[in-house]
């Protein structure tokens, strides 16, 4: 029988990210057992299916349909008085559990909180103690997110992550109430999405002959061919799986730089009057590549046809077109590019890149979509409807927001998860600045330079995982976790100013959360440093000493 003592117990189940408010928990227990019914109100059906698939499997619960007003019930409902992604979770003896959301997404985020409250066993795929009920304390939680865009970039171009790995990461994002997966699908080192009209994009561009191990200055090579791509049905499955978890998948097709894989597949896309593009292969190393797209009408038509197929696969209102790290050397040497600059009366190569981006901004807008690009798209003039991913620091995002453009804050100095987590020489392939769990927890997405009206243009924030030195799921897990948990709290919770954040409380809750990650099989970096099998001795990185600049 449940304990009916209503004395409050210690706070809140180690919830990550932290909710807005918790009334309780009290000593009274709520049991979900063989007789517990699941009542799904209109609009909550996806969450009901998810609960049966996860909690049903973890505890061996059938969760049959039942009336919402019965005592032993897990009830889901909508209440438009709540924010769309907000929720209220009520757990009380004799009344069961009720999750009410402002919209379907709010109900789903409430279900994620319920799963955490039920303990690490709730994150397993089969019951450890069959027939034993799931138990949580009596409490009421009110919650909702700070930002609408709570994202992670997953770079599948540098090192391909098979479809099942992407689906796994969607589950991990959902478990942390993150709602955007930015999928970096194309780069110099590989093209990862099937385009029916242009089969050589994956036939040639989808694999490389060998791969640099570690930083580009490393003498080590992996001589095995590396490749892979997602068929269009794979993409449909990924997008549908994400949608069931209220996650938007934002595709990135990089232009006009980071395009050597496309040029290797279709040499006419490159600056043929400057370089023998027929000799180019998919790039096997890292860095900024000089081989960029030619600013010709035929290149525009090619990418319009690519994007026609991309739009048919991704319902995301935003389409990311890169726009970063586009060296202008070939354009300066190209008679074709110089003729285009003259024809359009442009001031130079920066404006030529802006012309490229503006073209696709208009093209996407005509089809009801919005262009988003890295902050280099500010150079030469920002396309009218474009949004900016501010990666080189805060400055690009500040400039964009002050000029009335929407921004996603993802400064590399703060939330690039490929950067190392500790100054120890044991860190595997150490790249960039030291960004500890605490550093990420104290990241603030909204710069103080912005007024309230300007800050309203900050759609949210995103952590980026670039995979040049992440060549397996294990390496990816190590770099991403546990820092993604800290980032998720920054994106979701209404935290105080960075210096005032209670990091000790966060680490206390993380002691509970590590057990959840263990149950999920996440190969995170332990607080005390890497396990022996997580180290990569002898592989050259590129560590940067000192504190990262706040730029």
């Amino acid at each position: 029988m449940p304990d009916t003592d209503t004395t409050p117990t210690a706070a809140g189940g180690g919830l990550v990210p932290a909710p807005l408010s918790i009334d309780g928990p009290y000593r009274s227990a709520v049991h979900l057992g063989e007789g517990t019914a699941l009542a799904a109100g209109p609009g909550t059906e996806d969450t009901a299916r998810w609960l049966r698939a996860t909690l049903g499997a973890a505890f061996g619960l059938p969760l049959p349909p039942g009336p919402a007003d019965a005592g032993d019930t897990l009830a889901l409902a909508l209440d438009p008085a709540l924010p769309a992604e907000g929720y209220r979770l009520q757990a009380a003896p004799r009344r069961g559990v009720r999750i009410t959301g402002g919209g379907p997404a709010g109900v789903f985020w409430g279900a994620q909180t319920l799963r955490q409250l039920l303990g690490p066993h709730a994150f397993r795929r089969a019951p450890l103690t069959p027939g034993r009920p799931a138990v949580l304390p009596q409490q009421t939680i009110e919650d909702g997110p700070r930002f609408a865009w709570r994202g992670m970039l997953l770079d599948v171009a540098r090192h391909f992550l098979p479809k099942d790995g992407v689906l796994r990461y969607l589950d991990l994002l959902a478990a942390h109430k993150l709602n955007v997966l930015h999928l970096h699908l194309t780069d110099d080192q590989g093209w990862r999405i099937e385009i029916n009209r242009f089969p050589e994009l994956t036939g040639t561009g989808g694999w490389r002959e060998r791969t640099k191990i570690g930083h580009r200055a490393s003498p080590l090579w992996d001589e095995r061919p590396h490749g892979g791509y997602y068929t269009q049905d794979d993409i449909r499955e990924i997008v549908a799986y994400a949608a069931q978890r209220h996650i938007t998948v934002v595709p990135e097709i990089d232009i006009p730089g980071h395009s050597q894989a496309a040029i290797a597949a279709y040499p006419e896309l490159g600056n043929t009057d400057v370089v023998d593009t027929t000799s180019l292969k998919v790039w096997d190393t890292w860095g900024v590549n000089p081989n960029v797209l030619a600013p010709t009408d035929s290149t525009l038509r090619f990418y319009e046809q690519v994007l026609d197929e991309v739009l048919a696969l991704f319902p995301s209102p935003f389409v990311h077109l890169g726009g970063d790290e586009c060296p202008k050397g070939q354009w300066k040497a190209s008679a074709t590019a110089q003729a285009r600059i003259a024809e359009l009366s442009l001031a130079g190569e920066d404006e030529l890149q802006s012309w490229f981006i503006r073209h696709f901004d208009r093209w996407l807008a005509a089809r009801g979509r919005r262009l988003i690009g890295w902050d280099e798209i500010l150079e030469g003039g920002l396309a009218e409807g474009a949004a900016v991913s501010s990666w080189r620091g805060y400055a690009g995002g500040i400039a964009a927001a002050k000029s009335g453009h929407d921004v996603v804050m993802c400064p590399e100095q703060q939330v690039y998860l490929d950067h190392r987590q500790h100054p120890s020489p044991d860190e595997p392939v150490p790249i960039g600045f030291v960004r500890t769990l605490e550093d990420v927890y104290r990241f603030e997405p909204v710069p103080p330079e912005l007024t309230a009206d300007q800050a309203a243009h900050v759609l949210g924030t995103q952590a980026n995982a670039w995979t040049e030195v992440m060549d397996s799921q294990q390496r990816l897990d190590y770099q991403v976790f546990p820092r993604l948990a800290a980032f998720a709290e920054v994106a979701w919770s209404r935290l105080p100013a960075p210096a005032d954040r209670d990091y000790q409380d966060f680490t206390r809750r993380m002691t509970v959360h590590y057990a959840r990650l263990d149950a999920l099989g996440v190969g995170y970096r332990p607080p005390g440093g890497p396990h022996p099998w997580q180290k990569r001795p002898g592989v050259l990185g590129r560590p940067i000493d000192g504190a990262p600049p706040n730029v």
Side-chain angles (χ1 to χ4, degrees), residues 142-468:
E142 301 267 358
D143 203 7
R146 179 185 180 191
F147 291 110
W149 185 303
R150 307 180 301 279
M152 174 183 159
L153 176 142
L154 186 55
D155 170 16
V156 296
R158 272 54 175 271
H159 278 101
F160 179 64
L161 185 66
K163 179 196 69 178
D164 284 354
V166 177
L167 300 180
R168 174 178 178 266
Y169 258 82
L170 285 167
D171 280 331
L172 292 172
L173 295 186
H176 293 83
K177 298 187 175 74
L178 298 171
N179 68 345
V180 175
L181 175 64
H182 175 167
L183 208 51
H184 183 74
L185 290 163
T186 74
D187 215 295
D188 301 302
Q189 295 86 2
W191 186 285
R192 306 295 179 211
I193 178 173
E194 178 183 43
I195 301 297
N196 290 328
R197 191 183 294 267
F198 302 114
E200 286 307 307
L201 285 173
T202 49
T204 296
W207 67 278
R208 57 182 181 263
E209 294 180 352
R210 63 175 187 168
T211 299
K212 175 67 72 173
I213 298 176
H215 184 252
R216 61 181 177 271
S218 165
L220 303 177
W221 292 91
D222 183 343
E223 297 292 347
R224 298 172 297 173
H226 177 85
Y229 65 91
Y230 309 109
T231 68
Q232 294 203 354
D233 279 346
D234 290 339
I235 293 293
R236 293 184 183 98
E237 181 183 357
I238 288 167
V239 168
Y241 195 85
Q244 290 170 352
R245 288 148 181 79
H246 300 277
I247 296 172
T248 299
V249 183
V250 176
E252 181 178 358
I253 305 295
D254 219 334
I255 61 170
H258 287 291
S259 296
Q260 183 160 319
I263 296 168
Y266 292 93
E268 64 273 19
L269 295 173
N271 294 284
T272 56
D273 59 346
V274 176
V275 64
D276 177 13
T277 56
T278 62
S279 67
L280 296 178
K281 298 180 179 181
V282 178
W283 213 24
D284 57 12
T285 189
W286 320 119
V288 178
N289 189 296
N291 294 297
V292 303
L293 298 175
T296 63
D297 289 342
S298 60
T299 299
L300 298 181
R301 300 293 89 76
F302 182 97
Y303 275 88
E304 288 171 358
Q305 292 173 81
V306 167
L307 290 170
D308 274 333
E309 297 192 29
V310 170
L311 297 190
L313 295 169
F314 294 92
S316 166
F318 287 95
V319 176
H320 206 292
L321 292 186
D324 63 314
E325 296 180 328
C326 178
K328 308 301 192 297
Q330 290 187 358
W331 287 352
K332 289 178 180 178
S334 166
T336 300
Q338 293 302 310
R340 175 120 288 180
I341 289 172
E343 170 198 344
L344 298 171
S345 300
L346 302 177
E349 290 75 22
D350 283 347
E351 286 196 6
L352 183 60
Q353 178 171 338
S354 178
W355 165 82
F356 220 113
I357 298 297
R358 285 173 185 271
H359 172 86
F360 286 103
D361 178 64
R362 293 189 297 270
W363 189 91
L364 288 169
R367 289 153 182 81
R369 307 295 183 96
R370 290 186 64 189
L371 183 148
I372 185 168
W374 303 113
D375 54 56
E376 285 96 330
I377 69 172
L378 289 160
E379 297 166 4
L382 187 58
E384 183 177 347
V388 170
S389 298
S390 188
W391 77 273
R392 290 181 293 180
Y394 288 102
I398 292 170
K402 286 185 174 181
S403 62
H405 289 269
D406 289 338
V407 177
V408 174
M409 284 294 187
C410 48
E412 65 168 330
Q413 301 87 351
Q414 314 297 330
V415 288
Y416 267 34
L417 300 182
D418 44 308
H419 283 213
R420 58 196 171 126
Q421 303 182 65
H422 193 275
S424 166
D426 288 336
E427 287 302 302
V429 200
I431 298 292
F433 295 103
V434 173
R435 293 288 82 196
T436 65
L437 184 66
E438 182 173 0
D439 291 330
V440 174
Y441 189 68
R442 297 193 188 280
F443 164 60
E444 172 50 49
V446 179
E449 296 93 325
L450 298 181
T451 66
D453 287 345
Q454 293 164 350
H457 285 289
V458 179
L459 301 175
T461 183
Q462 181 170 290
N464 294 345
W466 300 102
T467 62
E468 288 94 334

